[in-house]
RNA sequence: GCCCGCUUGGUGGAACUGGUAGACACGACAGACUUAAAAUCUGUUGACCAGAAACGGUCGUGCUGGUUCGAUUCCGGCAGCGGGCACCA
């Protein structure tokens, strides 16, 4: 057995070669541009499999496009602000900046060792003042045009730590570190008016044909445009009026109660009552997440208030305060129609409220209104002037009547809410605002930017370090020069990731970016990242493009022309008995049980979930790179699963990839170094003809697979070709020329996925190192070698396979019928009967029906 | 709870716009080489039935019903799993 393929030397050699020759530098203002981008990584400290998968997909694409002649922009950077850095500061006493930059250093080394074709000259870190200074300017510009404003909103408050908690940090209604019961608290915060663009963001989705349909649907649903009515419900004596938004005004005759949120002014006004006070208190422990709100057991409390049903002046219905009403959506009050809304149905059952059916199902299907609500289409009943109308018409007519009676109006609403960007945290971009006792809210003058984060902060005290820093927030009012106080909130980290793809185009610009360069490079031709970002990040980035365009920064409307959402890399989760997460690296398994490597404590094995830092179920790719090299890791993550599908991690198969590359290496060495010759098909034996044809077919297949991102299929094709070539036994120079040619093609097709290997093999086959493999261009298939002159037809009797025939492509239908019926397997199943019908699908099947 | 997906051999997956289900790989088993093991090479491998073997037969794409000459693919219902739900990124 000859020597193994030495990946250590080879990978180092080619990484420095690419680097020294500046092979991956993108050139501004050139034709044939292709911008490929992977989602900005958070520098958690180590690469995980999700990263490797994400960046390999991007790199294969970037290399394939570059080889095909495109001027490729393929940048990378760091989403460097965020909560984990502060947690590290609290837990390990390391400064967030120090922790972050150390992580970046480590992860950058890992990325480099994987041989990704990034233009490293364009690297950015969002925590760098040279980056965030521009978003401070953007914030001021947004403020000028009214896209940024201040309002009150509700947060999760940890009363022990005096901090705002992320929904993720609320576990069973308690703060994750303190264990204290969480309370809702109102804070005055900064918002961006994303709702101004709701309609444009919605209609823009239609143009995003390069996006997965599911993401487009999710975005449409998130924006949630709906047409309905705002209706006033008044008390009999007209002293109180509650405005209600509904998308079902046609069911007003079925209304049997009104529910309002605990935050609703009417509810707040009843706080004098002990039971109301207690109930509001209970609601405030629910937290701010929509999920908590909707899964909680539906509860309410009767206010004693009675309002009149708008269309029926004599009918009064009760008003309840309920825990399942969203305060920030619509008016924070809804009317309950238990017959036709499931939540209202449950509420009505619990409090014995009447269930009044007003929609009759179209089909006389069995609707059991004692069991559940009916929410389908139908005709109106028990509804006076709406009777016998279809739901759609009834809705229109109801709105007309509401407007003519002056009880309200028809309105279009969106589920989308304005984007709250204030965070009560240290490790984020400071908001450039000063609060002055005399002048109020004063923007920091642009000449004073950037407002830098102070470095001397302490995380010993609870709360935001910026808040209790002795001097940082003390400043002078830019207007009146009297002492004033800085805004101590920082920006949401989604702010950074909403425009970084513009910065990559001109990363050293003194402004945020150069308009002409951005207009050239953008939109991003292919964006690649996890589905988990399908709504928020992608919507915010789309909003930013519009907002920045509005402020004159760019002309780009949609930032991402095509989107590929890779599936998540999942892994089993592990927890100690106390519920602390444990990493797979710290576990050893005995049968179905798992134990901690250090403490030997038994570990609870949980379901396979998305690999994430917080659950610690991450697999470190480092040992794969160390043991097998970058190409094996790259080939492996691309091999089996299609990119958009979730991947349940397992180590099985790594060995197989390693064996394959070694086998291929031997093959390349045997093929050796030869001269380019003209190959003539007619001179070959059938075996070599087939191999030669297969080589050309593989070029076509792999190219098509790359175009459609079916990398796993491309690899299967390459394995197929490899298997065919390995089996050849060339006996003379001519046959060796065929093998040599095929070996070269194989290397070129493999190059985007396993670039180090391909470069080295290319040298072995060509005997020179003057160019890299990508500079030879992407191979082209000879179409005349791909078409076969015969076809294989599967023969069915009544849809069941009974045989197969091979005949010329020119064969007539009569000929096909004759041959098919003559088959022994067909005759046997005809059992003497004559065919009723024969269906012929060219190139595929013949179905004989009896 | 709401929105969006996914479900094919022991495993990952393939099957182009409804047309031969299981390409390619992993694992397993058997054999060759070896004193032995590793490595490597060769072969078998959806389940069941029948058979000495060859040739065969039935079932089979989460479950269930439908459309069709023909359904993994289209439609209805159900189940299980995953993602998102606005302060994790």
């Amino acid at each position: 057995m000859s020597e193994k393929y030495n990946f250590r030397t080879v990978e180092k050699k080619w990484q420095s070669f690419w680097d020294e020759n500046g092979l991956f530098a993108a050139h501004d203002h050139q034709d044939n541009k292709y911008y490929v981008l992977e989602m900005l990584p958070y520098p958690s400290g180590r690469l995980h499999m999700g990263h490797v998968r994400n960046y390999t997909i991007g790199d294969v694409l970037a290399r394939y496009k570059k080889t095909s002649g495109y001027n490729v922009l393929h940048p990378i950077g760091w989403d460097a602000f965020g909560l984990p850095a502060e947690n590290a500061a609290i837990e390990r006493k390391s400064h967030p900046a120090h922790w972050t930059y150390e992580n970046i250093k480590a992860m950058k080394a890992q990325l480099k060792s994987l041989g990704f074709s990034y233009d490293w000259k364009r690297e950015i870190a969002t925590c760098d003042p040279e980056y965030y200074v521009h978003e401070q300017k953007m914030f001021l510009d947004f403020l000028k045009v009214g896209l940024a404003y201040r309002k009150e909103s509700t947060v999760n408050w940890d009363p022990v730590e005096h901090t705002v908690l992320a929904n993720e940090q609320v576990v069973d209604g308690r703060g994750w570190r303190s264990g204290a019961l969480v309370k809702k608290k109102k804070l005055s915060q900064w918002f961006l008016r994303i709702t101004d663009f709701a309609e444009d963001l919605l209609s823009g989705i239609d143009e995003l044909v390069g996006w997965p349909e599911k993401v487009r649907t999710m975005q449409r649903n998130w924006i949630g445009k709906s047409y309905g009515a705002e209706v006033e419900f008044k008390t009999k004596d007209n002293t109180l009026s509650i405005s209600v938004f509904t998308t079902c005004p046609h069911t007003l005759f079925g209304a049997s109660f009104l529910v309002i949120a605990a935050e609703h002014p009417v509810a707040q006004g009843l706080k004098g009552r002990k039971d109301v006070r207690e109930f509001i208190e209970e609601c405030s422990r629910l937290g701010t997440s929509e999920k908590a709100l909707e899964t909680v057991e539906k509860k309410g409390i009767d206010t004693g208030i009675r309002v009149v049903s708008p269309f029926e002046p004599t009918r009064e219905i009760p008003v309840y305060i309920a825990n399942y009403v969203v305060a920030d959506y619509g008016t924070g009050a809804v009317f309950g129609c238990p017959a036709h809304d499931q939540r209202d149905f449950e509420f009505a059952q619990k409090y014995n409220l009447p269930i009044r059916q007003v929609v009759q199902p179209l089909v006389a299907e069995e609707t059991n209104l004692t069991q559940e609500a009916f929410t389908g289409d139908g005709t109106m009943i028990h509804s006076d002037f709406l009777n016998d109308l279809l739901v759609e018409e009834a809705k229109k007519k109801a709105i007309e009547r509401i407007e003519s009676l002056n009880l309200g109006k028809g309105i279009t609403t969106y589920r989308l809410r304005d984007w709250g960007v204030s965070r009560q945290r240290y490790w984020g971009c400071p908001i450039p605002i000063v609060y002055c006792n005399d002048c109020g809210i004063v923007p920091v003058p642009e000449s004073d930017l950037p407002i830098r984060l102070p470095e001397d902060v302490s995380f010993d005290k609870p709360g935001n370090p910026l808040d209790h820093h002795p001097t940082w927030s003390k400043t002078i009012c830019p207007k009146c020069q009297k002492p004033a106080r800085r805004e101590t909130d920082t920006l949401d980290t989604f702010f950074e990731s909403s425009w970084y793809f513009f910065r990559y185009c001109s990363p050293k610009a003194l402004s945020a970016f150069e308009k002409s360069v951005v207009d050239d490079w953008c939109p991003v031709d292919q964006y690649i990242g996890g589905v988990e970002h399908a709504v928020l990040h992608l919507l915010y980035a789309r909003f930013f493009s519009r907002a920045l365009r509005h402020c004159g920064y760019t002309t780009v409307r949609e930032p991402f022309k095509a989107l590929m959402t890779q599936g998540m890399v999942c892994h089993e989760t592990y927890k100690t008995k106390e519920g602390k997460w444990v990493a797979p690296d710290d576990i050893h398994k005995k049968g179905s049980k798992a134990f901690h490597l250090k403490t030997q404590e038994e570990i609870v094995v949980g379901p396979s979930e998305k690999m994430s830092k917080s659950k610690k179920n991450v697999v470190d790719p480092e040992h794969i790179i160390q043991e097998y090299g970058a190409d094996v890791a790259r080939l492996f993550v691309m091999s089996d699963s299609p990119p958009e599908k979730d991947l349940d991690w397992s180590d099985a198969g790594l060995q197989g990839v390693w064996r394959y590359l070694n086998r291929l290496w031997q093959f390349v060495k045997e093929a050796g170094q030869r001269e380019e010759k003209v190959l003539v098909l007619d001179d070959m034996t059938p075996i070599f003809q087939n191999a030669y044809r297969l080589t050309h077919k593989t070029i076509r297949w792999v190219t098509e697979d790359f175009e459609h991102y079916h990398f796993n299929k491309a690899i299967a094709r390459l394995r197929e070709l490899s298997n065919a070539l390995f089996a050849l036994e060339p006996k003379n120079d001519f046959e060796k020329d065929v093998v040599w040619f095929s070996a070269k093609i194989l290397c070129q097709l493999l190059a985007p996925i396993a670039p180090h290997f391909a470069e080295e093999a290319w040298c072995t086959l060509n005997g020179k190192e003057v160019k890299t493999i990508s500079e030879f261009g992407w191979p082209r298939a000879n179409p005349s070698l791909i078409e076969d002159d015969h076809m294989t037809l599967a023969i069915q009797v009544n849809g069941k396979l009974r045989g197969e025939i091979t005949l010329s492509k020119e064969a007539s239908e009569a000929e096909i019928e004759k041959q098919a019926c003559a088959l022994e397997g067909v005759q046997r199943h005809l059992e003497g009967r004559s065919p009723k019908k024969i269906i012929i699908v060219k190139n595929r099947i013949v179905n004989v029906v009896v």
Side-chain angles (χ1 to χ4, degrees):
Chain A
M1 175 77 207
S2 41
E3 50 163 320
K4 290 244 181 262
Y5 165 65
N6 187 342
F7 67 85
R8 274 177 238 275
T9 343
V10 170
E11 291 183 354
K12 256 207 195 94
K13 170 181 159 189
W14 288 103
Q15 281 165 19
S16 0
F17 185 90
W18 298 327
D19 217 25
E20 284 157 20
N21 291 280
L23 204 69
F24 306 125
H27 308 287
D28 296 342
H29 299 304
Q30 284 196 9
D31 288 345
N32 223 11
K33 69 97 180 177
Y34 193 85
Y35 188 173
V36 54
L37 179 68
E38 297 115 50
M39 285 181 184
L40 189 66
Y42 182 80
S44 55
R46 304 193 70 77
L47 282 191
H48 58 70
M49 280 304 161
H51 291 128
V52 176
R53 194 181 192 199
N54 192 173
Y55 307 145
T56 304
I57 294 168
D59 197 51
V60 171
L61 196 61
R63 284 175 180 271
Y64 166 67
K65 287 289 178 185
K66 186 177 170 58
T67 307
S68 308
Y70 287 90
N71 175 35
V72 172
L73 171 58
H74 187 209
I76 188 78
W78 308 98
D79 189 13
F81 275 138
L83 211 43
E86 289 192 51
N87 291 331
I90 293 165
E91 281 157 24
R92 308 180 209 179
K93 309 263 174 228
S94 75
H95 192 278
H98 179 254
W99 183 85
T100 303
Y101 280 107
E102 283 298 305
N103 286 351
I104 289 177
K105 208 171 126 194
M107 288 177 79
K108 189 171 171 179
Q110 286 187 306
L111 286 183
K112 289 213 161 187
S113 76
L114 278 159
F116 293 136
S117 63
Y118 294 124
D119 183 352
W120 283 103
K121 292 212 171 77
R122 293 173 187 257
E123 180 185 2
I124 56 164
T126 59
C127 62
D128 185 343
E130 291 197 5
Y131 183 85
Y132 69 68
V133 62
H134 305 298
E135 52 191 55
Q136 293 179 338
K137 165 111 174 14
M138 286 171 194
F139 184 87
L140 296 175
D141 286 336
F142 291 164
L143 196 63
K144 268 182 222 154
V145 297
L147 281 174
Y149 68 100
R150 218 166 148 70
K151 77 166 178 190
E152 282 221 317
S153 82
T154 318
V155 294
N156 298 311
W157 183 253
D158 185 320
V160 172
E161 293 202 337
H162 294 277
T163 42
V164 176
L165 295 174
N167 283 330
E168 190 193 51
Q169 298 172 319
V170 180
V171 182
D172 298 327
R174 291 170 184 274
W176 67 340
R177 258 197 287 261
S178 68
L181 280 173
V182 168
K183 285 195 74 177
K184 284 194 210 173
K185 189 179 170 179
K186 287 226 166 191
L187 285 181
S188 196
Q189 314 214 63
W190 288 101
F191 281 80
L192 297 188
R193 242 183 259 281
I194 188 172
T195 50
D196 270 12
F197 293 89
E199 192 57 47
D200 193 39
L201 286 166
L202 182 66
S203 60
I205 296 171
D206 296 338
E207 296 155 36
L208 299 175
V209 289
W211 285 39
E213 196 50 53
K214 62 170 173 178
V215 176
R216 302 209 284 165
T217 312
M218 277 191 256
Q219 293 226 341
R220 281 193 193 101
N221 290 339
W222 187 262
I223 294 167
K225 181 179 183 173
S226 59
Y227 186 66
E230 215 170 82
V231 197
E232 297 294 327
F233 281 70
K234 292 173 184 161
T235 50
K236 224 171 202 167
D237 57 8
N238 250 326
T239 53
L240 179 68
S241 171
I242 297 174
S243 177
V244 163
F245 173 74
T246 175
T247 54
C248 301
H250 58 285
T251 62
L252 268 169
F253 287 98
S256 52
F257 57 94
L258 216 69
V259 268
I260 59 176
E263 287 89 345
H264 195 278
V266 172
Q268 293 291 321
L270 291 170
K271 265 185 156 175
R273 265 169 62 182
K274 186 164 175 277
D275 56 343
V276 171
R277 205 164 50 236
E278 280 169 1
F279 185 72
I280 290 176
E281 175 74 17
E282 191 186 324
C283 289
S284 89
R285 278 199 293 272
L286 249 180
T288 57
S289 95
E290 190 179 311
K291 186 186 166 189
L293 209 64
E294 293 221 21
T295 45
V296 73
E297 189 198 349
K298 282 153 200 55
K299 268 192 191 169
I301 182 168
D302 192 348
T303 56
I305 300 169
R306 297 291 176 267
V307 288
V308 176
S309 172
F311 292 149
E312 305 155 274
T314 54
R315 187 162 72 90
E316 284 191 303
I317 57 176
V319 179
Y320 279 73
I321 306 168
N323 59 0
Y324 67 97
V325 183
V326 186
D328 300 336
Y329 181 65
T331 55
V334 290
F335 75 80
C337 176
H340 307 292
D341 181 286
Q342 190 56 28
R343 283 176 306 177
D344 297 341
F345 181 85
E346 284 164 33
F347 193 82
Q349 289 221 312
K350 184 160 183 152
Y351 295 102
N352 258 323
L353 296 158
I355 295 170
R356 302 161 59 104
Q357 184 182 5
V358 290
V359 181
Q360 180 76 48
L362 286 178
V363 199
E365 62 194 294
E366 306 230 339
T367 44
N368 191 344
L369 283 175
T370 59
Q371 294 293 314
E372 57 178 7
F374 170 73
T375 53
D377 201 5
T379 47
M380 305 306 300
I381 51 169
H382 310 314
S383 297
D384 188 11
F385 66 97
L386 297 174
N387 279 340
D388 301 325
L389 292 174
L390 284 168
V391 164
E392 264 319 294
E393 301 161 46
K395 204 166 153 176
K396 271 185 218 149
K397 200 148 185 194
I399 293 171
E400 278 168 25
R401 183 67 64 101
I402 288 164
E403 287 177 343
S404 67
L405 292 176
N406 246 339
L407 289 166
K409 57 181 190 301
I411 52 166
T412 299
T413 50
Y414 299 88
R415 207 186 73 100
L416 183 68
R417 308 201 292 262
D418 275 340
W419 175 14
V421 292
S422 296
R423 296 292 180 272
Q424 295 67 41
R425 316 211 184 275
Y426 166 71
W427 196 231
C429 171
I431 299 174
I433 293 291
V434 167
Y435 298 100
C436 170
N437 281 338
D438 296 340
C439 315
I441 299 169
V442 185
V444 171
E446 274 177 33
S447 54
D448 289 355
L449 299 184
I451 303 300
R452 289 167 192 270
L453 285 172
E455 282 166 29
D456 52 333
V457 282
S458 124
F459 290 87
D460 299 342
K461 276 189 256 175
N464 180 359
L466 289 181
D467 241 351
H468 45 67
H469 188 280
T471 54
W472 185 79
S473 64
K474 290 182 184 141
T475 186
I476 285 168
C477 171
K479 259 193 196 161
C480 69
Q481 316 302 323
K482 281 188 209 146
R485 187 177 155 78
R486 281 192 193 290
E487 170 70 86
T488 55
D489 285 356
T490 52
L491 289 171
D492 179 8
T493 57
F494 272 126
F495 210 103
E496 281 84 61
S497 55
S498 292
W499 68 281
Y500 73 104
F501 40 87
F502 291 142
R503 182 69 183 170
Y504 279 144
C505 297
S506 46
K508 308 284 188 265
L510 294 174
S511 61
F513 44 82
E514 284 168 40
K515 193 172 178 179
S516 70
V517 183
V518 164
D519 287 353
D520 258 17
W521 279 116
C522 289
V524 171
D525 292 279
Q526 184 63 55
Y527 196 31
I528 306 159
V531 239
E532 65 270 30
H533 294 293
V535 176
L536 289 182
H537 160 61
L538 288 166
L539 195 66
Y540 290 149
R542 293 182 61 220
F543 159 63
F544 245 70
S545 291
R546 286 161 170 79
L548 289 177
R549 201 166 80 123
H550 186 71
C551 295
Y553 280 73
T554 163
T555 59
V556 178
R557 219 175 105 88
E558 287 293 347
F560 313 120
K561 194 168 153 195
L563 170 73
M564 132 140 253
T565 53
Q566 53 154 0
M568 277 152 299
V569 181
C570 301
H571 197 283
E572 276 181 337
T573 44
Y574 306 106
K575 266 186 185 178
T576 62
K577 291 236 163 67
E578 294 80 49
K580 280 207 163 183
W581 300 101
V582 183
D585 280 352
D586 297 333
I587 296 254
H588 70 103
K589 282 190 143 187
K590 272 187 202 161
S592 59
K593 287 187 174 176
F595 300 90
H596 199 285
L597 267 182
K598 285 177 198 141
T599 63
Q600 297 306 318
E601 178 193 359
E602 191 177 337
I603 298 296
V604 185
V605 179
S608 182
E609 289 176 62
K610 171 181 103 169
M611 284 190 183
S612 75
K613 310 171 269 301
S614 57
K615 286 171 189 156
K616 288 198 176 170
N617 59 337
V618 290
V619 168
D620 196 334
E622 189 67 31
H623 79 271
I624 299 175
I625 303 169
Q626 290 302 324
E627 213 169 315
Y628 299 103
D631 285 340
V632 170
R634 297 168 57 119
L635 198 49
F636 179 55
V637 292
M638 300 300 277
S639 278
D640 281 344
S641 280
E644 63 282 359
K645 210 167 157 170
D646 285 354
L647 180 81
D648 237 329
W649 181 259
S650 82
D651 283 335
L654 257 179
Q655 286 277 345
V657 175
W658 169 240
R659 277 199 298 262
Y660 170 66
L661 272 196
N662 273 292
R663 183 68 219 271
L664 196 54
W665 182 242
Q666 302 307 328
F667 171 73
V668 164
K669 283 209 304 191
E670 280 161 31
Q673 198 183 315
R674 304 185 72 81
E675 293 288 311
E676 191 87 54
K677 300 226 181 65
V678 178
L679 301 171
V680 183
L681 195 68
D682 289 343
D683 297 345
M684 300 176 197
T685 60
I687 290 176
F688 279 83
Q689 280 193 4
N690 281 340
Y692 188 56
R693 277 179 186 274
L694 183 64
T695 305
H696 278 275
K697 285 181 190 169
T698 306
I699 295 175
R700 166 160 301 176
W701 290 333
V702 169
T703 308
E704 276 170 12
D705 287 338
F706 274 11
E707 289 292 333
H708 296 106
Y709 311 140
H710 296 157
F711 304 109
N712 55 326
K713 282 162 69 184
I715 292 168
R717 295 305 194 184
L718 292 172
R719 298 289 285 246
E720 239 167 336
L721 177 61
S722 305
N723 289 343
L725 297 178
F726 294 166
L728 294 178
E729 290 170 3
K731 292 198 183 59
N732 51 41
D733 264 4
F734 179 64
E735 292 184 346
K736 283 179 186 164
D737 286 341
V738 176
V739 170
W740 184 71
F741 169 80
S742 297
K744 288 212 306 181
I745 296 293
L746 193 50
C747 288
Q748 285 182 294
L749 297 179
L750 191 63
I753 308 174
H756 313 84
F757 178 93
E759 293 276 20
E760 189 66 15
W762 189 253
C763 274
T764 306
L765 293 166
N766 289 290
K768 44 194 168 209
E769 284 183 28
V770 284
K771 285 186 186 176
T772 78
I773 190 167
S774 69
E775 289 169 286
F776 286 83
W778 190 249
R780 280 166 187 274
N782 178 349
S784 69
L785 292 170
I786 291 173
E787 295 299 318
D788 289 319
D789 48 3
H790 48 76
M791 57 180 173
T792 304
L793 290 170
I795 314 299
Q796 300 177 330
V797 177
N798 282 345
K800 285 193 178 173
L801 184 69
R802 298 303 174 192
E804 207 176 83
I805 53 172
T806 301
L807 68 182
S808 152
K809 277 206 164 150
E810 272 82 60
S812 66
E813 296 219 341
E815 177 67 17
I816 295 172
E817 268 186 38
K818 199 178 125 197
Q819 294 235 13
C821 291
L823 267 188
E824 192 205 315
V826 173
Q827 284 301 318
R828 191 169 53 231
H829 286 93
L830 283 180
E831 292 163 337
R833 295 169 295 184
S834 59
K836 198 159 88 187
K837 195 168 157 193
I838 298 181
I839 291 152
I840 297 175
V841 184
K842 272 257 169 169
N843 278 323
R844 291 191 198 278
I845 62 133
V846 176
N847 192 8
V848 181
V849 187
V850 290

